[in-house]
């Protein structure tokens, strides 16, 4: 047990590490480092160096956070800048020449660490300050940062002697019993015990090494240090691609383009999205344009408005997805402009956009027209149902939207030629392209220094926006990423351990135990891939994305990640972990993985990540929602996650992206709490046939149908052309109907005269038939290994009515739980 020094790079949140930093900010940081080093003066005391370091920290934290002396603490960074703010970072300073009292790896139990422990206990135990995020020691030359969790676990532990000793010392402290007594008699033996009990990771860097990095213009080394010395790291503040943070500017302007606005309802603080009021409506917005085209087909204005909004959501989903696709491709192609397609010079009007949706993206490359191939030579085939016409598009496709001048949002992100906020009007489609281009949509940014100041909009933030727009009628209930990831981690780690114990007759208690016992990595992958996870109110798919990321991280922790040939990808080469509900892929030094098409090692890793994600999405993740828009958005989110690791195929000379699989079949529309046919007690489909005294031939026919059903579903998932997909869907639907007809029993008649007259089964989700992956060879419903997600949000006034309807079924309308 000892002190283990780690670099700032290894301690910075990997999702934050991937964010680019502007050239201006990096140059200012370099200047601050050099200036700090110049202030070093061995002839001056601790107070002088403390003052200079305080001024250096103010570059990063002021004016939002105060940096000052908080007696008796040498220096502190406060969690705010007003009188109520508390110290969040506690700093112990020594002069450069005070080697005797300074902390080091070889001599850790010195006065510097003893003082830091005392300051921590004063704040955390005596004053009840729970806002402390980190602690560090510096002599101006060397910097050592401690994780507050280690201090809480040991020094604030009531079972440790130091806890009571500190309280007694504070209560009895007199002029005769000064802090030196605490340092020598209480802190020193406690620190010895602390150092013996566990390995302590301490982040370390030296000012000299930072200056040398500046001299060499080594941004690769300076970037992690810049991000470490930031509010996002030292104060654990949210950052730009934090999945819990909504970019309000992007969101507000997107609503404006659609023709919507967010308003507070009269009761409470809930916000809902609605059509703009008449005085503020713009005829060139997507919603108003769609309503104008549809209104002659509808007598009911509400139905017309509802369809128009559904169409707008479909179109916006496609456009946002395509911007992510374009950004990903441009990242792979190092910004080659020939790969850009989301612009007015490529797609001049809505009629051309309609062609792009269905004649380009909706068709395999070999099936595209010659004219299309010439105009869009670098646009991949995405194999997504997102680019199949919806039922609503039988009434209106996007080509029906007229090209018109649209008023620019009053708080637009767009700039005019003078760099001022743009005003006036723009052609509506051109406005959409310019608006999207004003943001950075790189779905898996790689960090670095950039000359652009574009705000990053990543997949998680888009998920939040999808959720809010989708919940426009009633307000949305978006679950923050830290909650979804916590739940996914808690449930899935226990599920994986349990699964291995069941399959292998082990008695493991945690993932580390499982990892130590694994010998056959192929078998281990099969066990993990056999886990079935369902979200029965899937919404935007947030929980399923968290589950996907967590299962990948678990595979990495178990050291069972494999490439296409089944060869292990070792943890020292590639580590998968989840930070801020985002999957990060880094090497052993904490460097983010970057895909380089055609590079043998990079290609191997990218293909492995894509295939691992595909297997988990196809085999492990299932979702249901009553709202069709939610189902479409969930599918979109999962496609985006796959897109992050899309790779160029060797067969195409690394010119074409690997086709995405058909993952939409695992996400179904329906009422997950309502089923005509019960699944309790694991009864067999064949059992129902016996009860009804049907023939063996009928029973065998049903079993054969089940086998065929599974084969069709697997064939669908492999990814066929749109024509084949349509044919397969019809076959699957027909086969399910036949299974229901062959397997149905007369029990449904029992409802008549009771609950049957009041229950609408038109949206019921038939678990016995919808997911062949959770039926055994006899048609037995085996169920899921884990159910994850939010409980249903029900208004109190509706609860009595709801409970009466579901309760009157006597348990025969079957909830999965």
């Amino acid at each position: 047990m000892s002190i283990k020094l780690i670099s700032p790079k290894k301690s910075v949140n990997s999702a934050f590490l991937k964010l680019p930093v502007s050239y201006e900010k990096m140059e200012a940081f370099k200047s601050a480092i050099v200036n700090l080093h110049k202030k070093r003066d061995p002839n001056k005391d601790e107070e002088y160096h403390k003052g200079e370091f305080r001024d250096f920290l103010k570059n990063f934290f002021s004016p939002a956070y105060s940096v000052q002396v908080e007696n008796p603490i040498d220096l502190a960074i406060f969690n705010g800048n007003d009188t109520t703010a508390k110290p969040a970072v506690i700093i112990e300073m020594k002069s450069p020449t005070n080697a005797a009292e300074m902390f080091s790896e070889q001599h850790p139990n010195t006065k510097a660490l003893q003082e830091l422990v005392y300051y921590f206990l004063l704040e955390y135990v005596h004053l009840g300050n729970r806002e402390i995020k980190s602690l560090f020691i510096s002599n101006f030359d060397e910097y050592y940062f401690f994780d507050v969790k280690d201090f809480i676990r040991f020094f604030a532990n009531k079972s440790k002697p130091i806890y009571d000793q500190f309280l007694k010392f504070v209560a009895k402290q007199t002029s005769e019993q000064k802090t030196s007594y605490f340092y020598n008699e209480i802190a020193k033996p406690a620190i010895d015990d602390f150092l013996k009990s566990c390995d302590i990771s301490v982040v370390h860097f030296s000012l000299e090494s930072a200056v040398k990095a500046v001299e060499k213009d080594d941004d690769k080394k300076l970037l992690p240090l810049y991000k470490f010395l930031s509010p996002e790291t030292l104060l654990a503040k949210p950052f730009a691609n934090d999945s819990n943070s909504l970019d309000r500017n992007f969101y507000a302007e997107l609503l404006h383009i659609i023709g919507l606005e967010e308003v507070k309802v009269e009761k409470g603080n809930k916000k809902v999205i609605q059509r703009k009021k008449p005085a503020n409506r713009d005829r060139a917005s997507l919603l108003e344009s769609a309503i104008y085209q549809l209104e002659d087909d509808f007598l009911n204005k509400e139905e017309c408005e509802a369809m128009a909004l559904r169409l707008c959501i479909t179109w916006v989903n496609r456009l946002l997805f395509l911007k992510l696709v374009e950004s990903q491709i441009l990242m792979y192609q190092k910004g080659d402009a020939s790969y850009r397609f989301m612009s007015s010079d490529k797609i001049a009007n809505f009629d051309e956009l309609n062609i792009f949706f269905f004649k380009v993206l909706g068709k395999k490359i070999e099936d595209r027209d010659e004219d299309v191939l010439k105009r869009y030579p670098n646009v991949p085939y995405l194999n997504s149902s997102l680019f199949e016409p919806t039922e609503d598009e039988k009434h209106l496709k996007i080509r029906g939207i007229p090209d018109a001048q649209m008023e620019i949002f009053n708080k637009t992100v767009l700039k005019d030629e003078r760099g001022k906020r743009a005003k006036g009007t723009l052609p509506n489609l051109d406005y959409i392209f310019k608006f999207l281009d004003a943001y950075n949509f790189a779905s898996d940014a790689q960090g670095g220094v950039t000359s652009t100041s574009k705000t990053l909009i990543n997949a998680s933030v888009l998920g939040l926006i999808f959720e809010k727009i989708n919940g426009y009628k009633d307000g949305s209930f978006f679950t923050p990423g830290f909650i979804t990831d916590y739940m996914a981690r808690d449930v899935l780690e226990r599920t994986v351990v349990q699964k291995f114990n069941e399959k292998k007759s082990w008695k493991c208690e945690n993932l580390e135990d499982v990892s130590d016992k694994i010998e056959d990595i192929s078998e281990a992958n099969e066990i993990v891939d056999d886990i079935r996870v369902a979200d029965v109110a899937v919404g935007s798919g947030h929980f399923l994305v968290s589950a996907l990321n967590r299962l990948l991280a678990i595979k990495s922790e178990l050291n069972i990640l494999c490439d296409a040939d089944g060869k292990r990808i070792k943890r020292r080469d590639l580590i998968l972990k989840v930070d801020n509900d985002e999957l990060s892929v880094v090497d052993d030094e904490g460097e983010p993985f970057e895909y380089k098409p055609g590079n043998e090692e990079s290609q191997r890793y990218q293909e492995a990540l894509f295939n691992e994600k595909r297997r988990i999405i196809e085999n492990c993740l299932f979702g249901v929602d009553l709202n069709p828009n939610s189902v479409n958005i969930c599918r979109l989110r999962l496609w985006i996650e796959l897109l992050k690791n899309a790779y160029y195929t060797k067969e195409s000379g690394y010119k074409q992206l690997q086709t995405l699989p058909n993952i939409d079949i695992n996400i179904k529309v329906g009422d997950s709490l309502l089923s005509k046919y019960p699944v309790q007690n694991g009864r067999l489909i064949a059992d129902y046939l016996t009860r009804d005294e049907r023939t063996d031939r009928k029973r065998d026919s049903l079993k054969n149908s089940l086998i065929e059903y599974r084969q069709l579903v697997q064939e669908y998932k492999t990814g066929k052309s749109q024509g084949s997909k349509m044919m397969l869907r019809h076959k699957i639907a027909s086969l399910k109907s036949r299974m229901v007809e062959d397997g149905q029993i007369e029990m449904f008649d029992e409802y008549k005269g009771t609950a049957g007259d009041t229950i609408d089964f038109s949206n019921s989700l038939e678990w016995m038939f919808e997911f062949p992956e959770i039926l055994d060879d006899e048609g037995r419903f085996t169920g899921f290994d884990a159910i994850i997600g939010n409980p249903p949000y029900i208004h109190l006034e509706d609860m009595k009515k709801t409970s009466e309807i579901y309760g009157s079924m006597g348990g025969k309308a079957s909830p999965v739980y």
Side-chain angles (χ1 to χ4, degrees), residues 676-691:
K676 294 176 187 176
Y677 309 109
V679 296
Q680 296 102 321
N681 306 320
R683 281 185 278 181
L684 303 177
I685 292 174
D687 289 343
Y688 297 137
L689 302 179
T690 302
R691 276 183 56 181

Side-chain angles (χ1 to χ4, degrees), residues 497-539:
V497 172
Q498 179 180 333
K499 200 81 170 178
F500 274 94
N501 286 342
E502 290 173 354
K503 295 284 187 179
K504 302 292 292 180
S505 299
W506 292 345
K507 295 182 179 179
C508 297
E509 294 185 1
N510 51 48
L511 292 178
E512 187 177 355
D513 292 346
V514 172
S515 182
D516 290 341
K517 282 182 168 289
I518 290 174
E519 295 179 355
D520 185 336
I521 59 172
S522 176
E523 179 191 35
N525 271 290
E526 288 178 5
I527 291 172
V528 176
D529 292 341
D530 191 48
I531 288 171
R532 305 287 182 255
V533 181
D535 184 344
V536 296
V538 78

Side-chain angles (χ1 to χ4, degrees), residues 143-166:
Y143 298 79
Y144 299 93
F145 293 77
F146 298 83
D147 190 335
V148 70
K149 293 175 185 175
D150 290 330
F151 273 48
I152 292 171
R153 189 179 71 251
F154 192 90
F155 301 116
N157 188 334
K158 293 182 180 181
S159 66
K160 299 292 183 181
I162 189 173
Y163 186 87
D164 287 332
Q165 291 170 346
F166 167 75

Side-chain angles (χ1 to χ4, degrees), residues 308-323:
L309 185 54
R310 289 197 304 271
L311 284 164
C312 289
I313 291 173
T314 297
W315 298 333
V316 168
N317 287 348
R318 287 173 183 161
L319 289 166
L320 291 174
F321 181 61
L322 287 174
K323 193 62 185 177

Side-chain angles (χ1 to χ4, degrees), residues 169 171 233 341 353 410 464 512 523 601 654 697 706 712 791:
F169 171 78
T233 300
F341 51 82
L353 182 59
N410 60 1
L464 196 161
E512 187 177 355
E523 179 191 35
E601 184 180 71
Y654 303 105
R697 182 181 58 78
L706 177 60
L712 286 173

Side-chain angles (χ1 to χ4, degrees), residues 72-316:
I73 300 171
D74 284 356
L75 202 59
I77 303 171
F78 287 72
N79 199 15
N81 62 357
D82 56 28
T83 55
T84 64
K86 298 178 180 179
V89 181
I90 297 174
I91 305 167
E92 167 59 21
M93 290 291 298
K94 296 295 178 187
S95 70
T97 56
N98 190 352
E101 295 185 353
M102 181 57 188
F103 172 92
S104 69
E105 184 181 10
Q106 294 76 23
H107 303 288
N109 198 349
T110 58
K111 188 177 180 182
L113 183 54
Q114 294 158 13
E115 288 177 297
L116 193 64
V117 170
Y118 179 60
Y119 300 154
F120 165 75
L121 289 171
L122 278 176
E123 281 293 322
Y124 191 87
V125 176
H126 185 57
L127 298 177
N129 178 4
R130 296 296 185 267
E131 298 181 31
I132 303 171
K133 302 299 181 185
S134 58
L135 312 98
F136 71 91
I137 298 169
S138 174
N139 65 348
F140 208 78
D141 292 335
E142 306 293 329
Y143 298 79
Y144 299 93
F145 293 77
F146 298 83
D147 190 335
V148 70
K149 293 175 185 175
D150 290 330
F151 273 48
I152 292 171
R153 189 179 71 251
F154 192 90
F155 301 116
N157 188 334
K158 293 182 180 181
S159 66
K160 299 292 183 181
I162 189 173
Y163 186 87
D164 287 332
Q165 291 170 346
F166 167 75
L167 292 177
K168 290 176 182 177
F169 171 78
V170 171
K172 296 180 179 179
Q173 189 175 7
T174 64
S175 57
E176 290 80 22
Q177 193 180 47
K178 297 186 177 180
T179 51
S180 57
Y181 171 83
F182 178 85
Y183 301 149
N184 294 318
E185 303 302 323
I186 299 175
K188 189 172 183 178
I191 290 170
D192 279 335
D193 189 21
F194 173 58
L195 296 171
K196 290 175 185 176
S197 64
C198 54
D199 288 327
I200 309 300
S201 293
V202 178
V203 180
H204 169 257
F205 72 89
S206 72
L207 184 58
E208 187 70 30
S209 65
V211 171
K212 288 181 179 178
V214 173
E215 292 170 350
K216 294 178 180 179
D217 207 22
D218 187 356
D219 288 341
K220 197 171 183 179
K221 187 171 184 177
L222 288 168
L223 272 167
L225 181 58
Y226 171 83
K227 292 184 177 182
F228 180 75
L229 296 172
S230 68
E232 289 84 355
T233 300
L234 293 187
L235 297 180
K237 296 298 179 182
F239 48 88
N241 76 335
D242 190 328
S243 63
N244 306 312
S245 302
L246 176 68
D247 188 285
R248 301 297 310 186
N249 296 328
F250 178 84
Y251 174 58
E253 192 160 6
L254 181 64
L255 291 183
H256 169 77
I257 289 170
I258 296 172
L260 300 168
E261 61 185 355
E262 187 177 70
V263 297
K264 282 187 178 180
V265 293
E266 292 182 4
K267 296 180 181 179
N269 293 319
K270 186 173 70 172
K271 294 181 179 179
V272 297
I273 299 169
Q274 63 183 26
R275 183 184 181 186
K276 284 189 175 185
K277 294 178 181 178
N280 298 325
R281 290 172 187 169
D282 190 327
R283 288 287 295 271
S285 69
L286 291 177
L287 181 61
E288 296 305 319
S289 297
I291 290 173
Y292 182 75
Q293 298 297 321
L294 290 168
E295 59 187 359
D296 291 339
D297 298 336
F298 288 86
L299 294 175
N300 187 308
K301 289 184 178 180
E302 288 186 1
E303 289 180 6
C304 176
E305 184 177 323
M307 177 175 283
L309 185 54
R310 289 197 304 271
L311 284 164
C312 289
I313 291 173
T314 297
W315 298 333
V316 168

